[in-house]
């Protein structure tokens, strides 16, 4: 959708720049252009590049093709001013530019024609005889002169067009935006704003000035921006070169500073007497303003996004708030092969109708007379609605009901009465067919709920979903495609629409989808991570949607379509209640955590929703092991460590934890696969797009034939894998060496003063310091190493980062416990009871520290929020009180908070890592401290409260990223579960005094260890095979959804006309014609 620029300030607090009709601005003299130095490329090939970069009309193309390669032509091109690598030779003229006048080769005022004619007059040829030998040569010279005229005119037109394009871009970069023609600014209140970019006001404060050179400016543009997508790769490259040239041209127009240009404080914003900043008209004078304008041009000119510019209440920050039309989002969804939900009311309405035990809908059963009478009233609407589902044939035959009682028929009668009362209202008030079906879908679900009130499960009317034991219906997902006249199928009309605001405004994409697609769309042209690294952008994040969070919007959208407003009213009327908000419906219970995973997913994305579901599942599944662990712990403390009762419960608990860990993970795999089906993420990893940071060589794609696919060889990545592995192993060895040194130091008597041994406290303090020190070092180092590996997708990048991070943290967290459990008794000769007691003490200390860590995890973001708030007040002399409807209230409050999940930061990695380490404490050393399951159950409840508060109150709204499963974390938890079999069996056989009074077993302890471990691993493998990865009910529904999508992709079957074959009653033998039955 075409947008318009708007540079006029709306008030003194903020100015708005929004997209629009572009025209060429005031041009200025361009700096000298250096000639191209391109070895192996002659001038004629350069002309070919120019012609390919700009579509010519048929006459020009004809002239260009027919022009001979004469010396005069080459000479003409040679003297043409051609840009170098900084300055492209051409640019595609934007559609909104004024067209360049065509040059008529026949006109006398053509500059090239006049030049040739002048030359001709200077050297006048003598008269000649047509029959002479000079005729052929003279005619050839005349043709060459004409061709030179034509070529010079064409070259001059291309040069003029190139200059005009660069001049226009230069003006836009400097902030000289075109006037709006026939368009008015869109008010802030008429748009849903989705995303914000935050910049420092270049004129705020009096910090030291610095210079920026032309080389730096050019590199800024190359690193921070990408070429505009074009059909032709060559055209795309030339266009980007032209952008760079125009940006460098604009750089030279900035104010001088030392031997470069001003970086900031160019005077684009000035403080008014009322302490508010206002924007001055005029071109940019500093580099920051220049690059802010370049970002605006990219967002508006290349992406056609709506952009408004706001200034913070204290004038310190500038906000670009961004919104996109459904057409722009649809284009990005199609490019990224986005999987979008279909409207259930249009593709699978029959699944919501009550059915009998044979799953046949009630209206297809033989029914009583009173049912038939009431059904006749709604049959026309009913038939029309169900015809779209294509799941039923037009049959007259009725089936015998299976498992339907008279009470069921009575309830079905009440169900039909509700439908007959509401359907006429739908037909009367709603005109849009999709909205009718949406209301009818809601009506079917609500009517079923109303007739089932107060009924037991076996007495209720049940639709297909309840028969399959699925709580709520969900629609199929399919790769999005935009409908057009040349490629239109029935699927293109079935995409689901969503209400995105309290006012009732609807969009093709829900709020989380809009943000996800806008981020992808922006990253396609602007490298936000590079802008952040260069301190151009200080933050970028989505807007909060208060209607989804709290149920009430701070401001309402005004331009609502009448049909949408009526639809909102009728939906509320049918439901008889308002939808609960995310905050109201997210209540945390100590024993039964119930998370509104659908609402969390719709607001924060699948990645965060899946994390909270895993956290809830982990905590709930510790309830039973917690009770068992408490009983075992009481028995261990009540009897001697070698008592038969203790040995028995120890053996039982080792086996129990090993089996529990396997079942825990296998059942979770079933749950996450069901979430992937419900959320439409089953094909997520197949259609992942490359990361914005992914770099490589351009080549032809062997799959899609894309001529500019970014390719990076795996062989080149291997050396960085080796480097990362070597560095990780080196740091792990350093940690182990320090721990070993501390152990040796602790065993010596060199630190005894006044009969007090300080070795223990000193070694503990040094160990704690080295753990934190190496954590900080490796956390920064691992990101650098992973960035060097240059992974193509975000999933691959995160998997590599997670593996290296966990490997270090695992060693750093468990090295001391492994030493105490399996090495210390052998080395020091201490009794096993001493080692188990020390291991018990160490574990209980770790669990208690984890409780304190939750408080720190909550306190640090809150403390940082208070500090940022204090710093904000300190930098300004007056505090502006913002109204609740002011967009800046949300923008400024989020700016004070930390980032949890973005395209560059993933806070879930630290959260999963914490859970993995706690899972290790729970399973690897459960025999030494069985009470850990009970304490961890409490700890995970506190973790849920902490993370919930952190994401809702103490973090910026995350970018709602999609994900299929927990990925590498499942493999890590599975590895810990397998290691727990070995560690607990070793504790039972070697560390605990299990065989103290059984010498025969003590002599064969290693054999017993091997046999027990092998048996448990075999049983573990069988459990993994017995528990399927996907539940049967979800497998059936996945197949049903694939059938629905495939059916609509195929469309209606074409009618095939076949000739009826004749009946042939002739009797044939193996040879001959045989005997006719009639003559036999």
């Amino acid at each position: 959708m075409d947008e318009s620029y708007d540079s006029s300030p709306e008030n003194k607090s903020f100015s708005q720049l929004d997209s629009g009709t572009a025209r060429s601005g005031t041009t200025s003299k361009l700096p000298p252009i250096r000639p191209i130095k391109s070895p192996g490329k002659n001038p004629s090939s350069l002309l070919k590049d120019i012609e390919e970069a700009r579509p010519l009309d048929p006459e020009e193309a004809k002239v260009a093709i027919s022009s001979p390669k004469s010396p005069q032509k080459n000479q003409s091109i040679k003297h043409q001013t051609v840009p170098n690598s900084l300055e492209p030779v051409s640019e595609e003229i934007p559609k909104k530019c004024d067209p360049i006048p065509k040059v008529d080769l026949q006109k006398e005022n053509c500059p090239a024609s006049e030049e040739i004619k002048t030359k001709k007059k200077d050297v006048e040829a003598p008269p000649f005889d047509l029959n002479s030998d000079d005729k052929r040569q003279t005619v050839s010279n005349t043709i060459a002169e004409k061709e030179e005229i034509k070529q010079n005119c064409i070259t001059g037109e291309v040069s003029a067009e190139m200059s005009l394009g660069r001049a226009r871009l230069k003006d836009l970069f400097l902030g000289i935006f075109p006037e709006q023609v026939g368009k008015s600014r869109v008010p802030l209140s008429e748009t849903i704003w989705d995303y914000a970019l935050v910049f420092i006001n270049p004129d705020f404060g009096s910090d030291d000035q610095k210079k920026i050179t032309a080389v730096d400016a050019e590199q800024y543009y190359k690193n921070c921006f990408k070429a505009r997508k074009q059909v032709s790769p060559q055209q795309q490259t030339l266009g980007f070169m032209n952008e760079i040239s125009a940006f460098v041209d604009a750089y030279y127009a900035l104010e001088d500073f030392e031997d470069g240009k001003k970086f900031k404080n160019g005077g684009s914003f000035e403080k008014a007497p009322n302490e508010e900043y206002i924007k001055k008209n005029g071109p940019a004078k500093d580099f920051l303003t220049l690059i802010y304008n370049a970002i605006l041009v990219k967002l508006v000119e290349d992406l056609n996004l709506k952009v408004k510019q706001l200034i913070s209440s204290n004038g310190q920050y500038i906000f670009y708030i961004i919104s996109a039309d459904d057409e722009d989002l649809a284009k990005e969804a199609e490019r990224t092969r986005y999987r979008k939900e279909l409207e259930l009311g249009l593709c699978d309405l029959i699944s919501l109708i009550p059915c009998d035990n044979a799953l046949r809908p009630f209206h297809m059963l033989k029914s009583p007379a009173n049912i038939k009478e009431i059904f006749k009233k709604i049959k026309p609407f009913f038939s029309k609605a169900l015809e779209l589902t294509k799941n039923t044939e037009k049959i007259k035959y009725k089936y015998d009901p299976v498992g339907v009682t008279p009470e069921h028929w009575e309830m079905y009668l009440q169900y039909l009465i509700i439908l007959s009362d509401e359907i006429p209202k739908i037909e009367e008030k709603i005109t849009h067919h999709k909205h009718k079906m949406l209301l009818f879908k809601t009506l079917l679900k609500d009517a079923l709920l109303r007739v089932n009130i107060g009924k037991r499960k076996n007495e209720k009317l049940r639709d297909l979903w309840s028969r399959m034991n699925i709580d709520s219906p969900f629609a199929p997902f399919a790769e999005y495609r935009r409908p057009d006249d040349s490629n239109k199928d029935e699927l293109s009309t079935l995409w689901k629409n969503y209400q995105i605001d309290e006012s009732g405004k609807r969009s093709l994409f829900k709020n989380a989808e809009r943000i996800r697609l806008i981020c992808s769309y922006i990253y396609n042209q602007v490298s936000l991570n590079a802008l952040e690294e260069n301190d151009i952008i200080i933050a970028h994040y989505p807007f909060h949607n208060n209607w989804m969070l709290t149920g009430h919007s701070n401001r309402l959208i005004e331009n609502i379509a009448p049909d949408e407003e009526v639809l909102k009213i009728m939906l509320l009327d049918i439901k008889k209640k308002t939808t609960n908000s995310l905050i109201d419906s997210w209540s945390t219970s100590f024993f039964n955590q119930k998370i509104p995973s659908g609402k969390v997913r719709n607001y924060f994305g699948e990645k965060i929703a899946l994390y909270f579901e895993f956290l809830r599942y982990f905590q709930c599944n510790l309830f039973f092991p917690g009770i068992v662990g408490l009983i075992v712990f009481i028995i261990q403390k009540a009897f001697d460590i070698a008592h038969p009762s203790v040995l028995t419960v120890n053996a039982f608990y080792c086996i129990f934890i090993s089996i529990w860990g396997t079942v825990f993970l296998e059942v979770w795999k079933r749950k996450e696969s069901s979430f992937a089906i419900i959320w439409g993420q089953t094909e997520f990893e197949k259609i992942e797009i490359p990361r914005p940071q992914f770099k490589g060589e351009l080549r032809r794609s062997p799959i899609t034939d894309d001529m500019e696919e970014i390719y990076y060889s795996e062989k080149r990545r291997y050396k960085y894998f080796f480097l990362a592995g070597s560095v990780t192993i080196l740091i792990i060895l350093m940690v182990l060496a320090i721990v070993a040194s501390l152990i040796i130091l602790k065993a010596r008597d060199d630190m005894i003063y006044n009969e007090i041994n300080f070795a223990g406290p000193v070694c503990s303090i040094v160990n704690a310091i080295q753990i934190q020190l190496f954590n900080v070092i490796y956390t920064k180092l691992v990101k650098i190493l992973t960035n060097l590996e240059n992974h193509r997708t975000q999933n691959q990048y995160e998997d590599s980062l997670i593996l290296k991070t966990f490997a270090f943290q695992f060693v750093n967290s468990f090295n001391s416990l492994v030493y105490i459990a399996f090495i210390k008794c052998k080395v020091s000769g201490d009794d096993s009871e001493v080692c188990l007691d020390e291991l018990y003490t160490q574990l209980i200390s770790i669990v208690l520290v984890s409780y304190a860590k939750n408080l720190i995890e909550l306190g640090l973001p809150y403390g940082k929020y208070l500090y940022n708030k204090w710093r904000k007040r300190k930098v300004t002399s007056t505090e502006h009180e913002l109204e609740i409807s002011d967009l800046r209230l949300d923008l400024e409050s989020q700016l004070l908070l930390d980032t949890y999940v973005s395209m560059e930061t993933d806070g879930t990695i630290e959260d999963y890592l914490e859970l993995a380490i706690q899972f290790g404490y729970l399973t690897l050393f459960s025999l030494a401290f069985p009470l850990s399951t009970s304490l961890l159950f409490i700890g995970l409840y506190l973790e849920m409260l902490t993370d919930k508060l952190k994401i809702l109150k103490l973090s910026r709204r995350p970018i709602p990223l999609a994900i299929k499963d927990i990925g590498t974390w499942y493999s890590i938890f599975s590895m810990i579960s397998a290691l727990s079999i070995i560690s607990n069996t070793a504790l039972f056989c070697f560390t605990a005094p299990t065989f103290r009074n059984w010498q025969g077993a003590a002599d064969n302890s290693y054999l017993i260890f091997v046999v027990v471990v092998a048996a448990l691993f075999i049983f573990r493998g069988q459990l993994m095979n017995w528990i399927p990865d996907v539940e049967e009910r979800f497998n059936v529904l996945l197949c049903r959804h694939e059938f629905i999508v495939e059916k609509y992709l195929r469309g209606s079957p074409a009618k095939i006309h076949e000739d009826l074959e004749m009946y042939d009653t002739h009797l044939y033998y193996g040879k001959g014609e045989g005997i006719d039955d009639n003559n036999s």
Side-chain angles (χ1 to χ4, degrees):
M1 179 178 179
D2 294 339
E3 302 297 345
S4 60
Y5 291 100
D6 174 16
S7 58
S8 59
E10 187 167 293
N11 56 39
K12 294 182 179 180
S13 298
F14 57 88
S15 61
Q16 304 170 358
L17 290 165
D18 112 61
S19 30
T21 304
R23 65 172 181 83
S24 61
T26 305
T27 61
S28 60
K29 186 176 180 181
L30 300 177
I33 302 174
R34 297 183 296 276
I36 270 187
K37 295 180 180 180
S38 181
K41 217 170 189 182
N42 57 31
S44 61
S45 64
L46 289 176
L47 178 64
K48 182 179 178 182
D49 291 347
I50 296 172
E51 297 294 354
E52 289 181 357
R54 178 185 62 84
L56 300 177
D57 66 336
E59 290 299 324
E60 291 178 322
K62 184 177 179 181
V63 172
I65 293 172
S66 62
S67 299
K69 297 181 180 179
S70 62
Q72 292 86 347
K73 173 182 174 182
N74 291 342
Q75 184 70 19
S76 171
I77 299 176
K78 181 178 179 181
H79 290 289
Q80 175 195 353
T81 303
V82 183
N84 67 350
S85 60
L86 294 181
E87 295 134 1
V89 293
S90 181
E91 181 216 23
E92 180 187 11
I93 292 187
K95 296 179 181 179
K96 301 169 191 172
C97 283
D98 298 331
I100 299 176
K102 299 295 180 184
V103 180
D104 189 354
L105 299 179
Q106 304 300 325
K107 289 185 177 180
E108 296 295 331
N109 58 356
C110 175
S113 177
E114 293 296 331
E115 181 182 356
I116 299 297
K117 289 181 179 180
T118 303
K119 292 180 181 178
K120 186 175 179 181
K121 289 179 180 179
D122 293 340
V123 186
E124 187 70 30
F128 64 94
D129 185 4
L130 292 175
N131 296 322
S132 67
D133 295 336
D134 296 334
K135 171 188 174 183
R136 186 175 304 171
Q137 180 65 36
T138 306
V139 173
S140 175
N141 290 340
T142 305
I143 294 174
E145 290 171 356
K146 290 182 178 180
E147 293 300 336
E148 185 178 358
I149 293 173
K150 294 177 182 179
Q151 186 58 49
N152 285 344
C153 290
I154 294 172
T155 305
E157 182 179 344
V158 174
S159 300
E161 178 182 344
M162 180 180 62
S163 300
L164 177 61
R166 283 180 55 182
R168 175 180 176 276
L169 276 175
K170 173 191 172 184
D171 287 345
L172 294 178
F173 289 151
L174 287 173
I176 305 173
F177 297 105
E179 297 291 338
Q180 298 186 85
V181 180
K183 287 191 175 183
S184 58
R185 290 193 303 247
V186 178
L188 290 172
S189 59
E190 292 186 3
T191 305
I192 295 288
W193 300 102
D194 302 297
Y195 208 73
L197 309 181
V198 187
F199 312 89
I200 287 288
N201 183 349
D203 298 300
F204 183 86
S206 57
D207 295 338
D208 295 335
Q209 181 66 269
K210 66 178 182 178
K211 69 177 181 179
I212 183 79
T213 65
V215 175
D216 294 336
E218 178 190 351
Q219 198 62 40
Y220 264 106
Y221 198 90
K222 288 181 178 179
N223 293 341
C224 299
F225 301 102
K226 302 176 185 178
R228 182 177 185 178
K229 299 299 180 183
Q230 303 284 354
V231 176
S232 167
Q234 188 180 32
Q235 192 176 7
Q236 179 173 310
T237 303
L238 293 174
F240 189 59
M241 292 168 61
N242 198 43
E243 291 179 24
I244 298 173
S245 301
F247 187 78
V248 174
D249 294 344
Y251 162 82
Y252 285 118
L254 302 179
E255 287 188 2
D256 295 330
F257 181 75
E258 295 181 355
D259 56 345
K261 301 293 182 180
K262 276 189 175 182
F263 186 79
K264 57 181 181 177
N265 292 327
S268 297
F269 298 86
E270 64 178 6
K271 185 181 280 189
N274 61 353
E275 298 295 327
E276 291 185 344
Y277 278 81
I278 59 174
K279 186 175 183 181
K280 297 169 60 179
N281 294 326
K285 298 298 182 183
D286 59 86
F287 180 74
L288 278 183
T289 305
L290 176 66
I291 205 163
Y292 294 170
N293 291 336
I295 295 171
L296 179 64
V297 171
K298 274 292 185 180
L299 296 177
V300 175
E301 190 80 9
D302 292 356
L303 299 179
N304 288 325
L305 296 173
K306 288 187 177 70
V307 181
K308 301 283 187 184
Q309 180 177 318
L310 280 70
I311 195 163
S312 63
S313 57
N314 63 355
Q316 185 176 4
Y317 304 106
I318 296 172
F319 303 102
Y320 280 3
I321 59 174
I322 304 169
S323 179
D325 297 316
D326 280 357
E327 294 86 353
D328 301 321
L329 297 178
K331 182 167 59 176
E332 181 65 12
E334 189 173 48
R335 184 187 75 85
T336 57
R337 300 174 61 192
Y338 189 82
R339 290 182 63 82
K340 180 163 169 51
E341 189 176 6
L342 302 180
E343 175 52 60
L344 189 68
L346 291 172
C347 67
D348 197 16
L349 200 59
I350 198 171
S351 65
L352 302 175
I353 297 174
C355 56
D356 65 353
N357 291 349
L359 305 183
R360 297 190 181 102
F362 267 61
H363 67 278
M364 290 186 175
L365 304 179
K366 296 177 180 178
S367 56
N370 57 344
I371 299 291
K372 294 178 181 178
E373 189 66 27
I374 193 69
F375 185 74
K376 285 181 181 179
K377 298 180 181 179
I378 61 172
K379 186 175 181 180
F381 184 89
F382 213 81
S383 301
K384 184 178 179 181
L386 293 183
E387 185 180 2
L388 295 173
T389 66
K390 296 186 177 181
N391 287 337
T392 58
E393 300 292 338
K394 295 181 179 180
I395 58 172
K396 296 181 180 179
Y397 176 77
K398 297 293 185 179
Y399 295 95
D400 292 325
V402 179
V404 180
T405 64
E407 289 77 13
H408 286 146
W409 283 121
E410 184 63 30
M411 294 169 64
Y412 184 63
L413 178 62
Q414 298 299 322
Y415 174 83
L416 293 179
I417 292 174
I418 296 174
L419 296 183
S420 63
D421 291 340
E422 298 293 338
I423 286 176
K425 299 178 184 178
I426 296 175
E427 292 187 298
E428 177 186 356
K429 297 181 179 181
I430 300 296
T431 57
H432 198 287
H433 178 72
K434 182 180 284 190
H435 292 171
K436 283 185 180 180
M437 293 301 101
L438 173 60
L439 281 171
F440 189 47
K441 176 194 72 175
T442 308
L443 178 60
L444 290 176
K445 294 192 293 185
D446 185 71
L448 195 61
L449 288 174
R450 288 163 64 179
V451 298
N452 284 332
I453 294 176
K455 304 292 183 181
R456 292 194 298 268
K457 184 176 181 179
N458 59 344
E459 297 176 348
K460 291 182 177 180
L461 285 182
R462 303 173 67 188
D463 58 12
L464 180 64
W465 301 94
S466 60
R467 295 281 180 187
M468 299 290 293
N469 294 319
I470 295 177
D471 297 332
S472 59
F474 56 93
F477 286 78
E479 285 187 22
Y480 180 77
R481 61 184 66 183
R482 290 180 294 166
D484 56 60
D485 295 334
S486 61
N487 181 24
K488 187 173 183 180
D489 53 47
E490 296 180 67
L491 188 65
S492 62
T493 62
L494 304 181
W495 304 116
K496 184 174 181 180
N497 286 347
Y498 305 88
Q499 182 179 343
I500 58 175
D501 187 75
E502 187 180 5
S503 60
K505 185 175 180 60
R506 304 189 71 82
S507 171
L508 184 61
F509 301 93
K510 58 189 172 187
N511 185 257
E513 291 176 331
R514 291 177 62 86
I515 295 169
R516 188 181 305 164
L517 290 171
I518 282 178
C519 287
S520 174
Y521 202 33
I522 293 175
Y523 270 95
N524 197 29
Q525 288 292 298
V526 182
S527 180
L528 296 181
N529 59 305
L531 289 169
E532 277 193 293
E533 290 172 0
N534 289 283
D535 297 325
I536 303 297
I537 288 179
I538 63 170
H540 57 96
Y541 43 82
F543 273 87
H544 272 302
N545 189 311
N546 288 297
W547 176 64
M548 297 180 68
L549 271 179
T550 63
H552 300 285
S553 297
N554 292 339
R555 61 188 187 91
L556 297 179
I557 303 301
E558 298 174 357
N559 57 338
I560 303 299
D563 207 27
E564 292 181 350
E565 191 169 356
V566 174
L567 177 64
K568 181 195 78 169
I569 296 172
M570 293 196 66
L571 282 172
L572 293 177
D573 184 58
I574 291 174
K575 294 180 180 180
K576 306 298 183 185
K577 62 178 181 180
T578 57
T579 305
N580 290 332
S581 64
L582 172 59
I583 293 179
D584 293 337
S585 57
W586 193 349
S587 59
T588 49
S589 171
F590 186 76
F591 292 102
N592 185 21
Q593 296 276 2
K594 288 186 178 180
I595 299 174
S597 55
K599 289 184 173 62
V600 176
R601 173 236 176 182
N602 290 336
Y603 195 78
F604 294 115
E606 288 83 359
K607 173 172 281 191
I608 291 177
L610 204 59
Y611 164 72
F612 278 102
E613 276 294 335
F614 181 75
L615 179 58
R616 180 204 66 82
Y617 173 78
F618 193 1
Q619 194 249 348
C620 292
N621 278 270
L622 282 177
F623 179 72
F624 182 65
I627 295 176
V628 176
L630 179 61
I631 295 172
V632 172
F633 178 76
I634 293 173
I635 294 175
Q636 285 180 346
K637 296 304 178 182
F639 299 95
D640 183 70
I641 192 171
H643 193 275
S645 300
V646 175
L647 298 179
T648 302
V649 296
N650 285 348
F652 165 76
Y653 196 64
C654 285
I655 297 173
F656 170 78
I657 286 295
S658 301
I659 296 175
W660 174 85
T662 303
V663 174
F664 165 78
L665 292 174
E666 288 302 306
V667 175
W668 167 251
K669 188 189 291 186
R670 288 161 58 91
K671 288 185 69 67
E672 70 178 4
S673 64
S674 66
F675 283 122
I677 294 172
I678 294 172
W679 295 342
Q681 299 299 323
T682 53
E683 304 293 325
F684 171 74
E685 293 180 357
K686 294 182 182 179
I687 57 178
E688 243 190 318
I689 60 175
R691 299 170 61 235
Q693 299 88 346
F694 178 61
K695 299 177 181 178
E697 301 172 351
L698 297 180
R699 71 164 193 177
R700 172 190 173 187
S701 170
I703 300 173
T704 64
D705 286 331
D706 180 7
M707 296 301 167
E708 290 203 357
E709 180 193 54
I710 301 177
Y711 172 73
Y712 189 80
S713 174
E714 284 292 328
K715 293 181 180 179
R716 295 175 60 186
R717 191 174 284 122
Y718 289 153
K719 62 182 179 181
Y720 295 112
F721 285 154
F722 178 77
L723 175 64
S726 302
V727 171
T728 302
I729 291 173
L730 177 63
I731 292 182
I732 288 175
L733 291 177
M734 291 173 63
V735 170
L736 294 178
I738 293 174
V739 172
S741 301
L742 292 176
I743 292 172
I744 295 173
L745 181 63
K746 189 176 181 180
R748 299 179 62 178
D749 299 330
D750 298 341
M751 302 184 69
I752 299 177
Y753 298 97
N754 297 327
E755 299 182 354
I756 300 176
N757 191 351
F758 291 94
V762 171
C763 290
S764 298
I765 293 173
V766 173
N767 188 44
I769 293 174
Q770 72 88 13
I771 288 176
Q772 297 302 322
L773 179 62
F774 277 100
N775 276 343
V776 172
I777 294 174
Y778 191 74
T779 299
K780 295 183 179 298
L781 189 60
V782 72
K783 292 183 179 179
I784 298 174
L785 295 173
T786 310
N787 288 332
L788 289 175
E789 294 169 1
N790 192 28
H791 291 281
R792 183 176 183 273
T793 65
Q794 188 68 23
N795 211 36
Q796 295 170 345
Y797 174 83
E798 290 178 359
D799 288 345
S800 179
L801 179 64
I802 288 167
L803 284 175
K804 291 192 283 288
T805 303
F806 176 76
F808 172 75
Q809 291 290 349
F810 184 81
V811 174
N812 207 21
S813 301
F814 293 102
N815 61 76
S816 61
L817 297 177
V818 171
Y819 170 77
I820 295 171
F822 305 115
I823 300 175
K824 184 178 180 180
C825 289
K826 304 294 183 183
V827 175
S828 63
D830 291 340
D831 188 70
S832 58
E833 294 185 18
V834 176
C835 293
L836 285 176
D837 287 341
E838 186 175 352
L839 186 60
Y840 161 77
T841 304
Q842 189 84 354
L843 285 169
I844 195 171
S845 301
I846 290 171
V847 172
L848 294 177
V849 167
S850 68
Y851 287 175
K853 187 178 179 181
N854 284 327
L855 298 177
I856 296 174
E857 186 178 352
L858 192 63
L860 284 179
Y862 185 67
K864 188 173 182 180
Y865 166 75
L866 294 177
Y867 170 74
N868 289 334
K869 194 173 182 180
W870 169 80
R871 191 176 63 176
K872 175 191 171 186
R873 291 178 178 176
K874 186 178 179 181
V875 298
T876 179
S877 57
T878 60
E879 185 70 20
H880 297 268
E881 293 294 335
L882 299 177
E883 297 180 0
I884 193 171
S885 60
D886 197 321
L887 288 171
R888 294 175 295 173
L889 184 64
D890 180 28
L891 293 170
E892 295 181 18
S893 61
Q894 285 206 68
L895 186 59
L896 301 175
L897 303 175
D898 280 335
T899 301
Y900 182 64
V901 170
S902 68
M903 301 292 281
E904 297 84 23
T905 305
D906 187 1
T908 62
I909 291 179
E910 295 182 3
D911 292 330
Y912 276 117
L913 179 62
E914 184 179 352
L915 295 182
I917 297 299
Q918 290 180 343
F919 184 74
Y921 292 141
L922 165 69
T923 56
L924 294 176
F925 306 100
S926 59
L927 183 62
F929 186 39
L931 189 62
S932 61
T933 51
S934 304
L935 296 179
L936 188 56
F937 176 82
I938 301 172
L940 291 182
Y941 173 72
L942 298 177
E943 181 74 21
M944 173 68 75
L945 294 177
T946 301
D947 290 345
K948 173 187 171 183
L949 184 60
K950 179 174 66 176
I951 195 172
L952 289 175
K953 301 292 186 182
L954 299 178
S955 299
R956 295 171 186 163
R957 182 180 179 182
I959 296 176
L961 300 179
I963 199 172
K964 178 182 178 180
D965 48 39
I966 63 174
T968 306
W969 290 113
Y970 178 85
S971 302
I972 289 174
F973 277 87
S974 183
M975 181 202 70
I976 295 174
S977 175
L979 289 177
S980 70
I981 295 176
I982 299 174
S983 64
N984 282 297
T985 307
L987 282 173
F988 181 78
C989 294
F990 305 129
T991 306
T994 306
F995 307 132
R996 177 184 297 177
N997 300 323
W998 191 1
Q999 188 59 38
D1003 296 338
N1004 297 284
S1005 58
Y1006 287 97
L1007 178 61
I1008 294 173
F1009 170 77
V1010 172
V1011 171
V1012 172
V1013 168
L1016 288 176
F1017 268 107
I1018 292 173
F1019 185 67
R1020 181 176 184 268
Q1022 288 299 317
L1023 277 177
M1024 296 172 70
N1025 290 329
W1026 290 338
I1027 303 175
D1029 292 345
V1030 182
E1031 294 183 61
E1032 182 183 359
R1033 54 179 179 157
F1034 285 103
N1035 230 340
V1036 171
L1037 285 171
L1038 180 61
C1039 294
R1040 176 183 178 85
H1041 285 173
E1042 290 175 352
F1043 166 74
I1044 291 172
V1045 172
E1046 181 66 20
K1047 179 176 55 183
Y1048 282 105
L1049 282 171
R1050 290 198 308 262
S1052 301
K1055 294 183 179 179
I1056 301 176
H1057 300 283
E1058 293 183 318
D1059 294 332
L1060 183 64
E1061 295 292 339
M1062 65 172 289
Y1063 293 100
D1064 186 359
T1065 60
H1066 193 75
L1067 181 62
Y1068 291 90
Y1069 296 102
K1071 296 180 180 180
E1073 290 296 325
I1075 302 174
D1076 195 335
D1077 293 342
N1078 297 329
N1079 298 328
S1080 61

